[in-house]
Amino acid sequence: MSNIKAAFDHGKAFIGFLTAGDPDYETSKACLLALAEGGADLIEVGIPFSDPIAEGPVIQGADLRSLQSGTTTDSVFRLVEEVRDSISCPMVFMTYLNVVFSYGYERFFARCAEVGISGIIIPDMPLEEKEEVRCVASRYGVDTVSLVAPTSRERIRLIASQAEGFIYVVSSLGVTGVRDKIVTDLSGMLSEIRSVTDLPAAIGFGISTPEQARQMAEYADGVIVGSAMVRMVEQYKKDAPQHIYDYVKKMKSALRD
Amino acid sequence: MESRGRFGAFGGQYIPETLMNEIIKLEENYRKFMADEAFCKELDDLLKNYAGRPSLLYYAEKMSKQFGGAQIYLKREDLNHTGSHKINNVLGQVLMAKKMGKTRVIAETGAGQHGVATATAAALLGLSCEIYMGKEDTDRQALNVYRMELLGAKVHAVTSGTMTLKDAINETMRDWVSRVDDTHYVIGSVMGPHPFPMMVGDFQSIISKEAKEQILAATGKLPAAVVACVGGGSNSMGMFRNFIGDPSVRLIGCEAAGKGIDTDQHAATMAKGTVGVFHGMKSYFCQDEYGQIAPVYSISAGLDYPGVGPEHAYLRDSGRAEYVSITDEEAVSAFEYLAKTEGIICAIESAHAVAYVRKLAPTMDPNESIIVCLSGRGDKDVAAIARYRGVNIYE
């Protein structure tokens, strides 16, 4: 059992995602620190993948920029190691299974434990394929976070009852990216989850504005924001950290209201 | 095959949760339809009266004599309606999609053959159709793009990543997670998450079912070898399936070596790939040490894929099937040879198989036979071959 639960101890959690190494190593480090200083309760660090099938154009762009700047799984571990002491909230990885598989499960999760990573989110690994990762990750104290989707229906209870860390509630059909409107019956999904587990649940996919965050927090224990901040990295490059810091402050204060 | 779509260690269902219920439902429906006499009759009728099955098993006498070894038979999938083996799988899947209440089908395509077949079946069965094709492939297979549009499909030129087949699959997956309720993804090869590798292989196995009967009728015995090209591996799986249980029959898959497997411009997954997890399956992939999928290359858009179906990975590791690599130059030369010798212009994909037979047949005994799967016809490739030979023609 990891320290992920602590992220949800101070009211509704703001969970921020950034792709490591986007647009380059140093800027990415500064962005992660800004995310933490702005008040993020949990940080999702994306390890870039060449073919991120669950991502919309914004995060696809981040993966591409990061890989072009020379990012590797090893350099992401190093980056986390360098910022870890300055960041007090828990950190998790988000990446595709092939990145973890090719590194070797033992070696990957041993490094996670060394650098202080508490969990892993793998969007192309459903419940049915989870065990090969979970059995190794758990030995190193790394939680394997499960996702539930609007199409999960009767699978929600099954997934939630075997979940670790927190439950990632996918707000909408489709890929990651900013959305004007979220139409899923989130309240129904959340009550299914709550009927089988006490683990915190956070909603992600499509959230970018303080209003959306406030609205989502009515149902869930936290909100996950990725594309909105990745877009700042794309737009402001070396000046992105200040924008991210201001943005997280604003989102946090919306969640406190 | 074991539970959950495994072929030994390969296969599986490595896809986003959003698709899981759909995939589970698809497998249930597939098993239901395959046991449903009316469905099988309808599909059989389409294969016979629309696609033109059975396809011929043609004895290539001139070729056989010139090589002076094994007798060579060509399984003429190029003669099917739409010009390739792709129609075998597509008719099955689109008919299923319609019966499952879907109103829209989507598909990836490399050379355009699978896209054309899907657009054709969608037109016939009254479903709307959108095709994803890498920008590089829409350029080199412009004729097929227009064919798909004529058939009423919308074609998206994919500009992400390497702009080829793998990126087209990524985009089709992204479309599917956005519209899974009314849409069926007609995967074109023996790849992707279970049940696709099994299902596509089953639909394509009609190739070897017919070929086995035909060769027994023609020669009275089993062939010594069957040979087919391998990208994702659908025509080869179709050619292998009914011979897997006949240990005397060598199963040989020919993958694309592009400019050579010692260059960085090839698509030789079996020769150069390592085990990974991508596009829903555990299998062999061309990738770097960190699991980033490698850009691959072949003159053939249909073989220009960095992975291979999980059943092939299993057949290789178990030693049952052999895989060889054929360069662009060998394939183009075989393409030209077949045209001049037998008067057949085959797809550049299939020419990879013909190229290997040119090496293999002379080493064998005239009492033996080889079946080559001519997976498609080559009209679509004529302009590209001319370009390769430095000839400028107007398409």
Side-chain angles (χ1 to χ4, degrees), chain B residues 139-263:
Chain B
D139 292 344
R140 57 182 167 177
Q141 298 288 353
L143 202 62
N144 268 343
V145 174
Y146 197 68
R147 283 171 80 194
M148 289 183 266
E149 288 168 353
L150 278 175
L151 293 159
K154 185 170 185 229
V155 181
H156 302 273
V158 175
T159 55
S160 59
T162 53
M163 304 190 204
T164 59
L165 182 53
K166 91 171 160 72
D167 310 284
I169 295 169
N170 294 345
E171 280 312 314
T172 321
M173 288 265 188
R174 288 177 186 128
D175 179 313
W176 205 24
V177 292
S178 310
R179 279 188 73 168
V180 66
D181 286 341
D182 70 347
T183 300
H184 175 68
Y185 178 5
V186 185
I187 291 188
S189 194
V190 286
M191 50 148 299
H194 176 70
F196 284 101
M198 166 188 83
M199 191 170 78
V200 178
D202 289 352
F203 286 137
Q204 292 295 359
S205 67
I206 193 163
I207 299 174
S208 48
K209 181 170 174 279
E210 290 173 3
K212 196 172 190 173
E213 290 167 10
Q214 289 164 324
I215 196 83
L216 286 172
T219 69
K221 57 180 185 178
L222 290 170
V226 298
V227 183
C229 64
V230 182
S234 68
N235 91 85
S236 46
M237 192 50 66
M239 191 73 243
F240 291 177
R241 267 286 183 87
N242 289 287
F243 292 110
I244 293 174
D246 299 311
S248 68
V249 182
R250 287 172 69 189
L251 312 176
I252 304 172
C254 306
E255 57 179 8
K259 295 183 177 165
I261 57 168
D262 296 322
T263 71

Side-chain angles (χ1 to χ4, degrees), chain A residues 124-152:
Chain A
D124 59 348
M125 186 184 69
L127 181 70
E128 282 73 0
E129 307 293 356
K130 180 178 163 181
E131 192 50 28
E132 67 183 75
V133 167
R134 198 206 58 82
C135 66
V136 183
S138 67
R139 276 195 277 112
Y140 292 97
V142 178
D143 284 338
T144 308
V145 174
S146 292
L147 297 93
V148 299
T151 50
S152 295

Side-chain angles (χ1 to χ4, degrees), chain B residues 308-379:
Chain B
V308 68
E311 193 172 356
H312 281 293
Y314 174 70
L315 288 176
R316 179 190 114 143
D317 276 19
S318 65
R320 179 63 190 92
E322 312 154 52
Y323 296 86
V324 296
S325 316
I326 298 294
T327 64
D328 283 0
E329 180 57 37
E330 290 170 321
V332 170
S333 160
F335 176 94
E336 294 165 337
Y337 173 81
L338 190 67
K340 292 199 167 70
T341 311
E342 294 288 347
I344 297 170
I345 296 180
C346 72
I348 187 65
E349 288 78 17
S350 325
H352 285 70
V354 176
Y356 187 65
V357 169
R358 279 178 102 173
K359 301 184 195 179
L360 177 68
T363 68
M364 292 169 62
D365 190 277
N367 291 320
E368 296 177 311
S369 70
I370 302 174
I371 304 177
V372 190
C373 188
L374 273 204
S375 56
R377 69 174 183 229
D379 313 41

Side-chain angles (χ1 to χ4, degrees), chain A residues 13-237:
Chain A
F14 176 86
I15 302 171
F17 168 90
L18 286 171
T19 301
D22 172 32
D24 58 64
Y25 190 86
E26 289 304 324
T27 310
S28 169
K29 239 166 94 174
C31 289
L32 286 173
L33 291 169
L35 178 55
E37 281 158 24
D41 300 293
L42 179 66
I43 293 178
E44 252 185 61
V45 178
I47 307 178
F49 181 50
S50 54
D51 297 82
I53 57 152
E55 313 299 342
V58 172
I59 297 177
Q60 285 178 47
D63 282 31
L64 194 63
R65 283 191 299 275
S66 174
L67 290 172
Q68 278 170 351
S69 79
T71 304
T72 65
T73 310
D74 284 316
S75 74
V76 175
F77 278 123
R78 198 161 62 238
L79 192 151
V80 171
E81 210 162 23
E82 284 171 20
V83 296
R84 198 64 192 94
D85 286 345
S86 317
I87 294 177
S88 57
C89 72
M91 295 174 81
V92 300
F93 276 146
M94 205 302 299
T95 193
Y96 288 79
L97 186 54
N98 201 41
V99 170
V100 185
F101 178 83
S102 64
Y103 203 82
Y105 293 150
E106 281 293 332
R107 186 169 156 236
F108 186 91
F109 291 109
R111 279 295 278 152
C112 284
E114 270 169 36
V115 304
I117 287 289
S118 313
I120 184 147
I121 304 166
I122 303 177
D124 59 348
M125 186 184 69
L127 181 70
E128 282 73 0
E129 307 293 356
K130 180 178 163 181
E131 192 50 28
E132 67 183 75
V133 167
R134 198 206 58 82
C135 66
V136 183
S138 67
R139 276 195 277 112
Y140 292 97
V142 178
D143 284 338
T144 308
V145 174
S146 292
L147 297 93
V148 299
T151 50
S152 295
R153 298 185 294 269
E154 73 284 359
R155 292 170 54 82
I156 293 179
R157 283 167 186 247
L158 196 65
I159 296 167
S161 63
Q162 298 176 44
E164 299 178 349
F166 73 98
I167 291 155
Y168 191 130
V169 181
V170 176
S171 76
S172 314
L173 292 181
V175 293
T176 56
V178 171
R179 285 172 172 79
D180 294 337
K181 247 179 155 168
I182 290 166
V183 294
T184 305
D185 171 24
L186 292 163
S187 148
M189 287 175 73
L190 266 296
S191 58
E192 289 278 313
I193 292 169
R194 299 242 153 88
S195 72
V196 292
T197 180
D198 295 331
L199 285 181
I203 303 177
F205 277 45
I207 301 168
S208 64
T209 67
E211 294 68 39
Q212 283 175 322
R214 231 183 334 250
Q215 196 195 340
M216 293 299 122
E218 281 175 29
Y219 310 115
D221 306 300
V223 299
I224 306 163
V225 174
S227 296
M229 290 188 300
V230 170
R231 216 154 51 173
M232 292 173 196
V233 177
E234 181 183 359
Q235 190 176 351
Y236 301 111
K237 310 221 162 51

